[in-house]
């Protein structure tokens, strides 16, 4: 008994008070660790989202820059006033958008295509239409061209342009059709350097590849042309495709666009107001060509432009912005002889995208935040009041892109 008593006295344990103190202390430590981990995780996710928005902006903006830099390539900067054009753009059957073909055309995005957050924050983004040879960098030799009710261009199969699309090796019309797609414009340059345009109706492969054209606009031939220009002889004419591409804002949460449905899976109310910057190709009537729509940047909130114009050969470049852009980059049909896109030497562009999550409760500076353009830092996604939270962060890229393809156009 004395031995057992001594052993029991040395085998001490926790008292109830000590156990409660330890449990409460552990709970506080666990709560602090959980809170720290929660905020760290949320901060990491927010930074990942804005990093993703920035990366998308960079990739999309580089695509836009490349297309602007190529505007006017193997085309015309302004068909309305181009002295090298052969043919009458006002003739019956001349497609509307072919008759106003221009290297650069800038206009405001229509109100119905803007998001409510754009309207609420006073942002009026622009969209841009560019024309040039984007599908191929080559001119193709035409061994013969016939007119009439079924105009046809007969191509030289063993020319360099055909080799670059791997045609002579396969004789596959698919390769030919990818460049000379139906609805695109075909530029024809005769042996005197004069230019005219047709509309592609189809292609035929085989040993004698051809491009079929629509009857209108009618082709001009030197033998019967009163314009002292036109197609003449065999193998003395070259042709190339002309693409018309547009950068625009779209709501892609559309049942007709199932390929983008995975992007829309509920979320906050402002998720439904998002807009994306897209790129699509237009045919000569201004109608989007099926299968050409591409997503350029998600959560786009602004796209804007200013232009640098050479008013004459002796004066320095002049910058135009705002409503003055339309004086040179507007519809060329309504512009005078001493205006038009052919005088644009560079385009300054900026693209703004917001973060997916609205994670800020106040603007950085009301004066800066309220002004759209390159200085836009945050945008309110509140449904009715631009001064109320939540605010989403905005990332903007801008650059000045020279138009090298029309650097020497002075008419």
């Amino acid at each position: 008994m004395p031995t057992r008593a001594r052993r029991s006295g040395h085998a001490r344990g926790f008292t109830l008070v000590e156990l409660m103190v330890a449990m409460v202390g552990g709970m506080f430590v666990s709560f602090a660790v959980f809170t720290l981990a929660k905020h760290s995780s949320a901060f990491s996710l927010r930074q990942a989202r804005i990093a993703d928005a920035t990366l998308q902006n960079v990739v999309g903006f580089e695509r836009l820059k490349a297309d602007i830099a190529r505007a006017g390539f193997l085309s015309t900067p302004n068909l309305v006033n181009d002295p090298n054009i052969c043919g009458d753009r006002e003739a019956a059957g001349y497609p509307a958008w072919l008759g106003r073909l221009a290297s650069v055309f800038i206009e405001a995005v229509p109100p119905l295509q803007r998001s409510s957050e754009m309207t609420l924050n006073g942002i009026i983004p622009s969209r841009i239409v560019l024309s040039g040879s984007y599908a191929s960098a080559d001119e193709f030799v035409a061994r013969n061209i016939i007119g009439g009710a079924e105009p046809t261009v007969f191509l030289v199969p063993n020319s360099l342009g055909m080799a670059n699309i791997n045609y002579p090796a396969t004789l596959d019309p698919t390769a030919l059709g990818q460049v000379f797609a139906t609805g695109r414009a075909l530029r024809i340059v005769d042996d005197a350097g004069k230019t005219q345009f047709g509309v592609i109706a189809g292609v035929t492969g085989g040993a004698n590849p051809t491009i079929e054209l629509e009857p209108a606009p009618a082709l001009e031939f030197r033998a019967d042309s009163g314009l002292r220009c036109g197609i003449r002889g065999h193998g003395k004419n070259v042709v190339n495709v002309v693409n018309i591409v547009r950068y625009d804002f779209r709501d892609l949460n559309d049942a007709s666009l199932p390929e983008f449905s995975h992007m829309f899976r509920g979320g906050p109310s402002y998720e439904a107001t998002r807009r994306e910057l897209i790129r699509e190709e237009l045919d000569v009537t201004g109608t989007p060509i099926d299968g050409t729509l591409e997503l350029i940047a998600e959560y786009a909130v602004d796209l804007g432009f200013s232009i640098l114009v050479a008013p004459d050969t002796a004066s320095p470049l002049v910058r135009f912005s705002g409503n003055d852009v339309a004086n040179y980059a507007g519809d060329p049909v309504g512009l005078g002889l001493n205006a038009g896109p052919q005088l644009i030497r560079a385009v300054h562009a900026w693209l703004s995208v917001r973060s997916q999550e609205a994670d800020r409760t106040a603007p950085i500076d009301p004066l800066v935040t309220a002004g759209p353009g390159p200085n836009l830092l945050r945008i309110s996604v509140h449904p009715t009041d631009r001064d109320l939270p939540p605010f989403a962060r905005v990332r903007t890229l801008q650059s000045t892109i020279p138009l090298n393809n029309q650097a020497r156009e002075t008419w």
Side-chain angles (χ1 to χ4, degrees), residues 57-118:
N57 198 8
V58 170
V59 174
F61 193 64
E62 289 299 318
R63 180 72 181 279
L64 173 63
K65 285 172 55 182
D67 280 351
I68 292 177
R70 195 162 176 168
F73 177 64
L74 297 181
S75 183
T76 174
N78 182 1
L79 185 143
V80 175
N81 294 331
D82 193 339
N84 294 315
I85 292 298
C86 181
D88 183 8
R89 68 171 186 84
E90 296 182 350
Y94 214 100
W97 276 66
L98 184 58
R100 50 171 280 185
L101 190 67
S103 57
V104 177
F105 171 64
I106 299 171
E107 64 177 349
V109 173
L112 294 179
Q113 288 183 215
R114 303 172 202 163
S115 66
S116 59
E117 63 193 42
M118 292 175 185

Side-chain angles (χ1 to χ4, degrees), residues 42-43 45-47 49-50 270 355-362 378 381 390-393:
F43 177 79
L45 288 174
R46 285 195 295 267
Q47 292 305 115
R49 291 189 182 102
I50 195 62
Y270 55 79
S355 60
Q356 178 183 9
E357 181 182 8
D359 56 3
R360 293 295 187 266
T361 58
R378 292 183 185 173
V381 291
F391 292 89
R393 288 179 284 176

